[in-house]
Amino acid sequence: QIVYSNSSVLLNTQELVMLNARIDNSMSEILHLSRLQLEQTLNNLSEPKSILALHRMCDAIGLLDCVLMFVTHITLSENYVRPLVSTDHPLALKAARHVLLDARCGLQMSNLSHQPPRCVPNDVYLSDSGTRLALISGSNRAGKTTLIKGIAQICVLAHIGCFVPAEFASLPLLRAICVRSGTEDALEQNQSSFSREASEMANIFFKLSDLERIESQSSRDSRLCRSPDAGVDTRTTLVIVDELGRSTSYSEGVAFAMSVAEALCKRPGVLSMFTTHFAELNVLESVHYSVSSFHMKTALMDSNPSVSGSRQFTYLLTRGSCRDPGYGIATAELCGFPESVLTTAREVRERFSDLRQDQEAKSQLRANGHTQSEKDEFEKWVSLFRRLHNHIHSIRLLRLSNLDTDSMRTRVHRLQANVLRSLSAAQEFISNLHKAPFS
């Protein structure tokens, strides 16, 4: 059989036609049998026993993959340690690093031969008997959010059985990690940015109250069972708060953030890390011994801190509040703002600063509070109290360390001398109080 077309000629025979028909029939039969087999397999898998076995197999494969990645990542990474986790341990991290940032820097370091990037480590210490709340301030892009998220990731890794990126890690047994971060609104829930912040913080407080209720119930049940340890939940809760109160007016934002920070520091069994740009929150350190102020250190390279490029970020967590003015305008300049707008912003900031200083001077003249000498005595007392608490924390950390005998003896002698010096200063201060008491 010959068939002519426009640009081709088709040649065919009866035998080829029959073979083609057999191939089509075979393909139809294969599809039919495959469909029947697939339906039978799906019917078998739809049984409860088969679904349960399939879920168990998926869980086993996922767990095996997770453990294998732990081993692979730790083998290829450096300076990972096994964390110490217990109900009475503080949150003590030495040279802690952000997990993802450390992995990225390690990957870039293997690909670069000159000036490789490095992940800056930081030391963190929180304890239920000492600093419960760490107030962290600093300029924009200084690394505040990266730091607190890295601490939360280290806690998660430690609780799932993985080594952590640090030189030393001691963590309490956590019952929950509560995080409030971001400034996005929620259109589907008809929530503005501040409404979402308030809603998230309300949920955190509700969760803390619920955990306290469960712990109280467990304590009562243990007393009924005449067992002091049975059923008692002595675990700790970690709360991460990133930039609270930015989406409302300045005065209300400061008030809201200060009230939240004060409520968190008063809760036993709750360790908190609170980042903020509100300098007014640093007053909590002088009121509550469980609050400590920190900032992300920034080196000023120019006499005018508002000039773009005048800062060098060190990404180091440093004790004390932030003393770096004008970082907001400098960040805006890096984003490409017109110079006329930036100049106006600097002038307005200077006027507000002068007005605030005048108001503070007038309030000092009208104040009928303590004299300067009384305030100095009170600050000295607070300083002595903090030094004694720091000695207690040092003793607890020394008990958890793995030092040899000689190093341990040297540290103990040095700590003993510091404790005796602090006790002597406290005794002298108390004797002076009896001679000349202040209200």
Side-chain angles (χ1 to χ4, degrees), residues 55-76:
H55 286 176
R56 290 178 176 176
M57 182 182 66
C58 294
D59 292 339
I61 294 175
L63 180 60
L64 180 62
D65 179 64
C66 181
V67 175
L68 181 61
M69 287 305 299
F70 286 168
V71 176
T72 305
H73 180 67
I74 294 171
T75 304
L76 299 178

Side-chain angles (χ1 to χ4, degrees), residues 132-168:
R132 294 178 188 166
L133 186 140
L135 281 175
I136 304 174
S137 58
S139 60
N140 305 101
R141 303 188 309 159
K144 302 184 297 295
T145 303
T146 302
L147 172 69
I148 61 176
K149 289 185 177 181
I151 301 303
Q153 290 175 356
I154 287 178
C155 292
V156 172
L157 287 178
H159 281 71
I160 62 178
C162 182
F163 282 40
V164 297
E167 293 183 5
F168 173 80

Side-chain angles (χ1 to χ4, degrees), residues 80-91:
Y80 271 65
V81 296
R82 181 173 65 89
L84 304 176
V85 181
S86 178
T87 55
D88 58 347
H89 282 189
L91 177 58

Side-chain angles (χ1 to χ4, degrees), residues 377 426-439:
E377 293 292 335
Q427 185 176 3
E428 180 182 358
F429 179 76
I430 293 174
S431 62
N432 293 332
L433 285 183
H434 290 299
K435 295 178 182 178
F438 65 93
S439 59

